[in-house]
């Protein structure tokens, strides 16, 4: 493994600070490339209890994701012809958004979610949820199922080999493992370095992923691509019994050939510091003109973007976010306060830095009035720019 991009020491992305409990705790963030398995990954691991016990990310926080998971349940129910006799196991089930959609199709569900506060939201919504980590010990207590899903989970897993072996263990022979991960080719192409944070241990391309699955006796057989989910996501379908790969999978693997390799990562690593400086310069220029700037959204990504670029309270008045769990807290490291959109509306800025850039379409549509009144958005990726549409 070789170190490729050293982002310095940064705070944990989802660890929002409260008034009484500000902490300057920062952890090294260095991206490595493995010449053996082609996996782009972190090697400085933070204990998982520090990251996943109390969690502020909620799947249901955007219409884009709720719609996405509703369609997900519908298409997979059809694809596998799931009935009331079938069980779906969702690993990292968060607030139960996906499982609720499966329940509406009459399928039996079980969620696995180690973050207690988030799991209890799912339970309160009628989604049975185990507050556990998904491992072989837990698998022994579970029934075998037709479908295991894991969305935006594989990147978070410390021991990928054990995790995939556990999936294989609970999957029926005729079952399917369906998962979503951000595609590293998109991260590199869009320069979205804020997708790199301590929780995300692996950055998958198809090659490295297929290889890891195969070690667990699972075969990547099909793929769907969602360019507007988390900046570019693929949904993989892995089978314990069939080895026949689809046309789309073969096409995408060929397309990825030069887009997620050592050289692509090297180019990305050279560009990132320059783009970060450019974004800061744009914002400082606006401040010099006397403009007021605020952040739009307080995603985990924002912690990385703001800390790495050196964008603090001298530049951003606040960050507005719809998630009640985040409001009243502060983005770690930079101390930017998170406020509700209602509060933001009482003191709107001239410019919003689009921190939740992955919801660009949804947000710009929602903020038509702000734009019509002369407000503008600064979009950080793929190149920092000011936009009004
Ligand atoms: P997201 O990009 O989904 O996640 P991550 O934490 O993995 O980077 O987070 C988006 C955040 O933006 C989430 O806290 C909800 C917030 N948000 C708004 O405040 N307003 C909106 O209109 C949308 C779509 C999201």
């Amino acid at each position: 493994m070789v170190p490729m991009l050293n982002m310095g020491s940064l705070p944990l992305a989802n660890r929002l600070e409260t008034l009484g409990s500000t902490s300057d705790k920062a952890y090294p963030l260095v991206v490595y490339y493995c010449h053996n398995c082609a996996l782009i990954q972190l090697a400085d691991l933070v204990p998982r209890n520090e990251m996943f016990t109390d969690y502020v990310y909620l799947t249901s926080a955007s219409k884009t994701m709720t719609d996405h998971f509703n369609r997900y349940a519908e298409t997979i129910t059809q694809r596998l012809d799931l009935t009331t006799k079938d069980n779906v196991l969702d690993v990292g089930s968060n607030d139960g958004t996906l499982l609720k959609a499966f329940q509406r199709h009459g399928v039996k569900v079980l969620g696995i979610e180690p973050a207690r506060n988030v799991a209890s939201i799912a339970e309160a919504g009628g989604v049975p949820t185990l507050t556990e980590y998904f491992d072989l010990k837990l698998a022994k207590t579970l029934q075998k199922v037709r479908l295991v899903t894991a969305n935006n989970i594989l990147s978070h897993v410390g021991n990928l080999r054990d995790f995939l072996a556990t999936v294989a263990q609970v999957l029926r022979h005729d079952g399917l493992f369906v998962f979503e991960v951000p595609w590293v080719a998109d991260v590199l192409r869009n320069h979205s370095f804020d997708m790199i944070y301590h929780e995300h241990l692996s950055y998958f391309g198809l090659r490295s992923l297929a290889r890891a699955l195969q070690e667990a006796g699972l075969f990547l057989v099909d793929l769907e691509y969602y360019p507007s989910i988390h900046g570019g996501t693929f949904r993989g379908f892995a089978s314990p019994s069939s080895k026949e790969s689809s046309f789309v999978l073969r096409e995408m693997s060929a397309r990825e050939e030069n887009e997620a390799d050592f050289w692509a990562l090297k180019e990305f690593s050279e560009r990132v510091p320059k783009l970060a400086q450019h974004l800061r310069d744009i914002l400082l220029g606006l401040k010099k003109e006397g403009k007021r700037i605020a952040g739009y959204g307080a995603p985990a990504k924002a912690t990385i973007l703001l800390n790495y670029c050196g964008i603090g309270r001298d530049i951003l008045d606040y960050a507005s976010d719809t998630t009640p769990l985040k409001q009243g807290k502060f983005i770690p490291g930079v101390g930017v306060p998170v406020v509700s959109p209602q509060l933001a509306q009482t003191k709107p800025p001239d410019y919003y830095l689009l921190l939740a850039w992955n919801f660009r379409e949804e947000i710009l549509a929602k903020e038509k009035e702000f734009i019509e009144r002369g407000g503008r958005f600064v979009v950080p990726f793929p190149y920092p720019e000011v936009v009004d549409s």
Side-chain angles (χ1 to χ4, degrees):
M1 283 210 304
V2 284
M4 300 291 289
L5 174 64
N6 186 344
M7 299 179 70
S9 275
L10 297 181
L12 299 181
N14 265 314
R15 228 327 119 88
L16 293 181
E17 290 171 348
T18 50
L19 250 188
S21 79
T22 47
S23 112
D24 291 334
K25 234 173 166 181
Y27 302 80
L29 193 57
V30 183
V31 182
Y32 288 81
Y33 181 81
C34 174
H35 279 292
N36 251 343
C37 66
L39 185 63
I40 295 170
Q41 61 199 286
L42 305 186
D44 307 286
L45 308 189
V46 177
R48 63 186 185 181
N49 290 344
E50 289 199 35
M51 297 191 283
F52 302 126
T53 305
D54 193 33
Y55 212 53
V56 289
Y57 176 83
L58 295 183
T59 307
S60 60
S62 71
K63 184 171 179 312
T64 305
M65 292 311 284
T66 309
D67 290 350
H68 177 71
F69 284 124
N70 285 344
R71 273 196 304 274
Y72 186 138
E74 191 180 327
T75 56
I76 305 287
T77 302
Q78 279 169 6
R79 181 178 176 136
L80 290 183
D81 211 1
L82 297 176
T83 69
T84 46
K85 290 197 198 90
D86 291 307
N87 286 294
V88 177
L89 186 70
D90 187 29
V91 185
S93 47
N94 197 268
D95 57 14
T97 301
L98 176 66
L99 289 181
K100 250 189 242 165
F102 273 113
Q103 282 177 325
R104 285 195 288 274
H105 293 281
V107 182
K108 280 181 275 179
V109 304
L110 180 62
I112 314 277
E113 174 52 64
R116 230 167 251 128
N117 63 322
V118 176
S120 53
I121 296 176
E123 280 278 351
V127 176
T129 305
L130 301 177
T131 312
E132 306 268 2
Y133 283 101
F134 184 62
D135 54 23
L136 284 166
K137 191 167 143 246
L138 177 69
K140 286 199 185 110
T141 68
L142 301 173
Q143 253 186 329
K144 288 202 185 256
V145 295
R146 274 289 297 293
L147 175 64
V148 176
T149 52
N151 306 300
N152 282 306
I153 299 304
L154 291 183
S155 322
H156 297 71
V157 169
N159 191 333
L160 192 60
R161 199 167 278 150
D162 275 9
F163 184 93
L164 294 175
T166 309
V167 172
Q169 171 78 25
V170 295
L171 209 52
R172 272 172 39 176
H173 186 67
D174 61 347
L176 205 59
F177 174 43
V178 181
F179 56 89
E180 291 191 347
V181 288
W183 191 20
V184 72
D186 280 322
V187 173
L188 301 186
R189 196 184 4 253
N190 296 326
H191 314 121
S192 38
F193 58 84
D194 60 349
M195 294 284 283
I196 299 169
Y197 47 86
H198 305 88
E199 278 175 30
H200 291 164
L201 297 163
S202 309
Y203 302 83
F204 290 106
L206 296 173
R207 194 170 133 216
S208 52
L209 190 60
R211 192 183 156 129
L213 286 163
Q214 205 161 343
E215 271 190 39
L218 296 166
F219 302 94
L220 192 58
V221 290
D222 198 8
L223 189 82
E224 286 169 7
Y225 177 52
Y226 295 90
S228 58
I229 299 296
H230 289 299
T233 284
F234 65 77
R235 182 181 297 167
F237 299 78
S239 161
S241 49
S242 163
K243 293 187 187 174
E244 205 170 313
S245 59
S246 69
F247 174 74
V248 181
L249 177 57
R250 291 195 301 273
E251 280 284 294
M252 290 287 276
S253 304
R255 194 179 130 186
E256 186 193 86
E257 195 62 29
N258 304 316
E259 293 189 337
D261 62 359
F262 172 82
W263 297 105
L265 178 59
K266 187 165 187 293
E267 195 176 320
F268 168 85
S269 305
E270 285 162 4
R271 281 188 182 171
V272 162
K274 293 177 198 149
L275 290 168
Q277 183 61 45
H278 184 40
L279 175 62
R280 189 163 188 275
D281 289 345
I282 289 180
L283 298 175
L284 285 176
L286 292 173
K287 284 310 279 183
K288 257 198 199 136
E289 289 171 24
K291 304 292 187 201
R292 298 185 51 236
I293 315 173
Y296 202 104
K301 298 185 281 292
T303 301
I304 302 305
L305 187 85
L306 300 183
N307 280 278
Y308 183 72
C309 298
I311 300 168
R313 287 203 70 170
D314 50 335
I315 297 178
L316 295 188
D317 294 355
Y318 56 79
S320 146
D321 196 288
T322 49
T323 316
L325 278 173
K326 299 185 180 182
Q327 294 159 6
K329 296 186 175 156
F330 299 84
I331 298 179
V334 287
V336 172
V338 183
V339 306
S340 68
Q342 292 73 20
L343 192 59
Q345 259 177 15
T346 64
K347 238 182 154 197
D350 302 303
Y351 286 75
Y352 267 121
L353 172 60
L354 189 56
L355 296 168
W357 50 262
N358 44 321
F359 298 116
R360 177 174 171 160
E361 230 168 87
E362 179 178 340
I363 290 171
L364 266 66
K366 200 197 281 186
E367 295 302 336
K368 244 184 157 162
E369 237 186 87
F370 168 74
I371 293 169
E372 276 164 12
R373 284 200 313 264
R376 293 290 176 264
F377 279 87
V378 179
V379 175
F381 304 113
Y383 297 97
E385 61 173 339
V386 176
V387 303
D388 61 2
S389 62

